[in-house]
Every structure is written in structure tokens, then in C-alpha cells.
């Protein structure tokens, strides 16, 4: 089984829909991350959870709402998104939130907003 | 501000050629970490290597090698005898303190195309 699993792989939704992205890690890590990857732009860190506690929010609009029920699971709840939110959303985990910790990524969810 | 520059947007070579991907970084920290990741078409970012600022030894792993030079703030990545499976987007990243944690500052990536 892969280390970090994201579902769904693809999601198409209207601007008024509510959906959730799911991430699960099987690596025994304590830190989890949500990233947004848009075309022609560097990866943008959205949220960080360390030991289930949200430690950072990179000024993400409130239409994105993360949830981390335990160290293995991370959700991103989506509500009233905009067309510019169409992107690849990547989940990652690391042993801890320290500086030298490599992050392990899932395959991502390709989100399209109609 | 900390920054990572990958000046090569796209590189195309024929299989078996050697290819070097450039990464130049800026930081005011004396202790920092640098990373390389590979992103194949499937989308998953694959961790390749981590290097801390105190270790300037070059590293080799099979066909992959990395040249870290603090004097020029560069951390270049060379693939020897490239193969079609090496085709991917490669990202260089720098670890930066962010609040109580650390975040990775990412370069824009270099798309590598290996033609058969």
C-alpha cells in the first residue's frame, strides 16, 4: 500500500457545491500538510498539522477548511469555491514538522471548478 | 526573503545523454536544508535527496548525483546516462522557518523530457 493515499483522484464541482478531499498516511508520521499546485506557479503550502494540531494557516481563504481527526487522516473541506481554485491539491506527511524532515506526498486530487 | 530559482523551465535530451538541472537559492539562515523532488506525470512528488548546509560533500546514488556549493548557493542535480523513465518535472526546495514549524520554499520546477 502506498505511503500517502489521496481520494478522489479527480473532482469536478460547481461553485456552490460542498465536497471534501481525503488524505491518509500509513507511514506513522506526525505532521501532515495540504499544498495547492497551479499551472506555472510554485507549490503553495496551505495548512500544516503537527500532532493533530493545526499549527499554521498560510492565509488561505475560509472556503477551504481543513480537518485532522488523528495523525493518519487529513481532510480538506471545500465550500463555494471559485474558478481560480482549480488546481492539483497535494497532501504530504513527515515524521515531524522539523526543518530537515523530508515530506512524502500523495498522488494528489485534480480539482476542476465549473 | 528566501527564494529558490530553477532557471531552466524545460530541458529535452536524447536517451543516454547526461543532463544537469540547476538550482540556486537565497537564504539568510546559516543552517538550512535543501531538497530535490521528482514529479512524474502521475502527479505524486517523490523525495530524492536532502542535504543540510553543513555537509558540502557531493552525493551519488546510482545514475543520480548532486553538487552542493555554498559559495555559489547552488545545489545542482545531474542524471548520467538518462533514460525515458527519468522524464518528469524536478523541483528543488529550501527549508525555511515558518512560525513554530518549517515550510519548504519551492522552485518553479524544471520539466525534463528524455526522448528515446
Amino acid at each position: 500500500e502506498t505511503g500517502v493515499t489521496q481520494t478522489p483522484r479527480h473532482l469536478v464541482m460547481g461553485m456552490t457545491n460542498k465536497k471534501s478531499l481525503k488524505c491518509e498516511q500509513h507511514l506513522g508520521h506526525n505532521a501532515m500538510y495540504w499544498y495547492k499546485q497551479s499551472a506555472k506557479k510554485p507549490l503553495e503550502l496551505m495548512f500544516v498539522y503537527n500532532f493533530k494540531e493545526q499549527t499554521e494557516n498560510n492565509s488561505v481563504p475560509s472556503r477551504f477548511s481543513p480537518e485532522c481527526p488523528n495523525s493518519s487522516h487529513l481532510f480538506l473541506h471545500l465550500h463555494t469555491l471559485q474558478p481560480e481554485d482549480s488546481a492539483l491539491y497535494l497532501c504530504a506527511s513527515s515524521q515531524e514538522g522539523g526543518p530537515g524532515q523530508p515530506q512524502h506526498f500523495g498522488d494528489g486530487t485534480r480539482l476542476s471548478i465549473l | 526573503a528566501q527564494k529558490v530559482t530553477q532557471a531552466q523551465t524545460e530541458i529535452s535530451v536524447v536517451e543516454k545523454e547526461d543532463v544537469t538541472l540547476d538550482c540556486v537559492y537565497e537564504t539568510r539562515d546559516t543552517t538550512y536544508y535543501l531538497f530535490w523532488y521528482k514529479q512524474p506525470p502521475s502527479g505524486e512528488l517523490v523525495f530524492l535527496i536532502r542535504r543540510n548546509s553543513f555537509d558540502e560533500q557531493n552525493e551519488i546514488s546510482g545514475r543520480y548525483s548532486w553538487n552542493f556549493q555554498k559559495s555559489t548557493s547552488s545545489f545542482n542535480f545531474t542524471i548520467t546516462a538518462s533514460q525515458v523513465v527519468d522524464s518528469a518535472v524536478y523541483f528543488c526546495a529550501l527549508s525555511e522557518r515558518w512560525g513554530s514549524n518549517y515550510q519548504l520554499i519551492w522552485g518553479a520546477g524544471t520539466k525534463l523530457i528524455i526522448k528515446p
Side-chain angles (χ1 to χ4, degrees), chain B residues 44-57:
Chain B
E44 178 188 0
L45 277 154
V46 179
F47 166 69
L48 296 178
I49 191 171
R50 171 190 61 194
R51 176 52 48 89
N52 78 51
S53 52
F54 292 110
D55 182 2
E56 289 196 69
Q57 273 195 324

Side-chain angles (χ1 to χ4, degrees), chain B residues 12-112:
Chain B
S12 181
V13 301
V14 176
E15 199 172 20
K16 296 186 183 150
E17 286 185 23
D18 298 347
V19 59
T20 295
L21 310 181
D22 298 333
C23 174
V24 175
Y25 61 93
E26 295 176 32
T27 179
R28 285 191 290 267
D29 293 346
T30 54
T31 302
Y32 50 90
Y33 289 82
L34 294 159
F35 300 80
W36 275 97
Y37 283 81
K38 172 183 179 180
Q39 188 175 37
S42 59
E44 178 188 0
L45 277 154
V46 179
F47 166 69
L48 296 178
I49 191 171
R50 171 190 61 194
R51 176 52 48 89
N52 78 51
S53 52
F54 292 110
D55 182 2
E56 289 196 69
Q57 273 195 324
N58 291 330
E59 182 151 345
I60 298 174
S61 176
R63 297 183 296 106
Y64 294 173
S65 62
W66 290 269
N67 183 359
F68 175 38
Q69 299 222 347
K70 271 177 98 165
S71 59
T72 56
S73 296
S74 65
F75 186 41
N76 296 337
F77 173 30
T78 297
I79 301 176
T80 304
S82 60
Q83 300 176 2
V84 172
V85 293
D86 295 326
S87 297
V89 180
Y90 290 84
F91 292 92
C92 180
L94 167 71
S95 181
E96 172 194 55
R97 179 173 279 281
W98 186 47
S100 57
N101 281 298
Y102 288 82
Q103 67 167 332
L104 293 179
I105 303 299
W106 297 82
T110 297
K111 183 175 183 179
L112 179 62

Side-chain angles (χ1 to χ4, degrees), chain A residues 3-6 22-35 45-56 66-75 90-97 103-104 106, chain B residues 98 101:
Chain A
V4 180
T5 304
Q6 289 187 245
K22 179 183 175 183
C23 176
E24 184 175 0
Q25 59 96 0
H26 308 275
L27 300 168
H29 289 166
N30 294 304
M32 295 187 78
Y33 311 79
W34 278 117
Y35 284 90
L45 179 63
M46 300 174 73
F47 300 103
V48 179
Y49 278 82
N50 211 359
F51 291 90
K52 299 188 301 177
E53 299 296 321
Q54 183 181 323
T55 56
E56 309 297 343
E67 178 190 0
C68 188
N70 54 61
S71 293
S72 299
H73 293 86
L74 185 64
F75 295 89
L90 290 160
C91 173
S93 70
S94 65
Q95 185 62 46
E96 292 168 2
Q103 295 176 18
H104 298 264
Chain B
W98 186 47
N101 281 298

